[in-house]
Amino acid sequence: MNPFFFSILRILSDGKFYSIYELARSLNKDILYIKNTLLDIQRYGIILQQTYEHAYRWVNPIIWMNKDEINNYLHEDKQFYQFVVLDSVDSTNRFLLDCVGKDFAKFPVNTVIVTELQTMGRGRQGRQWFSGFGDSLTFSLLWRFERSINQISGLSLVVGIGIVRALKKFNISDVCLKWPNDVLICFRKLAGILIEVSNNIRNETFVVIGIGMNVQLSTKTKEYIDQAFTDLFSITGQPINRNLLLAVLLTELTSVLNEFNYSGFTFFRNEWLSYHAYDGQLISLLFPDGSIKEGISVGVDFDGSLRLKLATGEIRSFNTGELMLS
Ligand code: BTN
């Protein structure tokens, strides 16, 4: 992707027609270069309308992620976060982990990395997370807990609760959580969470909390996703401002993360159970080594592990695995 990819999109953001000659002039590039970049843009699933006179307009331009706008929505909480807004990055989690790794002592906690395009998004269990330019909210948040690493089990479930609470603020209420932390609407995936530990010093643990939420997926992105999915546009029928969405998510996440730091998962267990998809159903847990355990899903423990009632009648708890319907 050449550096003018985003410069052209910024010009086209007003939804008006621009001729290839105008674009070439304002960016000081030759016409062939502009033509190729416009082709590249369309390859990313961005829909451009073209006239016979070589003029182009962006049919449904995005509202760009913008630090000032996010801060406006955060009101008095704004001094709490440090934002880095990127046009494109392979993975916001990878980027943040690397930044912290290089200069840990200086790196401010509560840093948020957000990007318009993630080219190699990381998912759980080594999978890839697919999103397209401007069609999702993809961000990572650095957080510090005054707890040792083995006292933060249940964290990913708590992050799920933060997301459910934020969605309620947008009147989206039929949200449920698939253990450990997929956010579902009508059993279709709306958002995913990937938590990676950055540093772990005595009784302090620094984590990177990565969240990907489908906002208004392009046809191109939809082609890549190999599981049942949905997006906010399909649910509400309205475009959603991702800057506002991020501000609301951060507010809710901050509230649950502070409480988690203080009380642990116990405080959240009942609320999590109230969102639990597949409770009481026959499910299979697929483990990283390929083995599978089948049983009835019977809630979660006080540390967030999943409780399964096995065929023998025994109830066992599991803290890893991928939940599938049997
Ligand atoms: C999953 O459900 O498998 C987790 C998906 C997490 C995706 C987000 S997008 C922002 C952050 N950066 C990444 O590379 N991954 C997470």
Side-chain angles (χ1 to χ4, degrees), residues 8-20 22-23 34 38 41-42 45-62:
I8 293 185
L9 282 175
R10 285 207 157 76
I11 297 177
L12 297 180
S13 292
D14 61 7
K16 294 185 182 147
F17 276 106
Y18 287 85
S19 77
I20 226 166
E22 278 177 288
L23 293 172
I34 299 292
L38 285 163
I41 286 175
Q42 292 171 89
I46 298 161
I47 300 169
L48 302 181
Q49 185 185 351
Q50 188 183 348
T51 67
Y52 289 115
E53 291 80 36
H54 301 292
Y56 289 80
R57 77 177 263 272
W58 188 356
V59 174
N60 49 352
I62 59 161

Side-chain angles (χ1 to χ4, degrees), residues 131 135-136 214-219 221-222 225 229-231:
S131 55
D135 70 5
S136 301
N214 303 331
V215 176
Q216 190 170 354
L217 295 180
S218 71
T219 316
T221 306
K222 288 178 184 172
I225 306 178
F229 63 90
T230 188
D231 61 14

Side-chain angles (χ1 to χ4, degrees), residues 90-94 118 120-125 127-129 137-140 181-182 189 191-194 196 209-213 227:
D90 54 346
S91 150
T92 54
N93 266 34
R94 197 278 310 152
Q118 197 171 235
M120 199 52 79
R122 297 184 189 178
R124 287 184 62 241
Q125 316 260 2
R127 284 191 303 259
Q128 196 178 337
W129 177 261
L137 178 63
T138 43
F139 71 98
S140 300
N181 54 15
D182 283 358
K189 189 155 170 176
I193 301 161
L194 179 68
E196 298 183 81
I209 300 170
I211 296 180
M213 189 176 289
Q227 58 181 311

Side-chain angles (χ1 to χ4, degrees), residues 4 24 64 94 112 118 150 172 181 209 250 276:
F4 288 87
W64 294 76
R94 197 278 310 152
V112 181
Q118 197 171 235
N150 42 24
I172 300 169
N181 54 15
I209 300 170
L250 288 175
H276 187 4

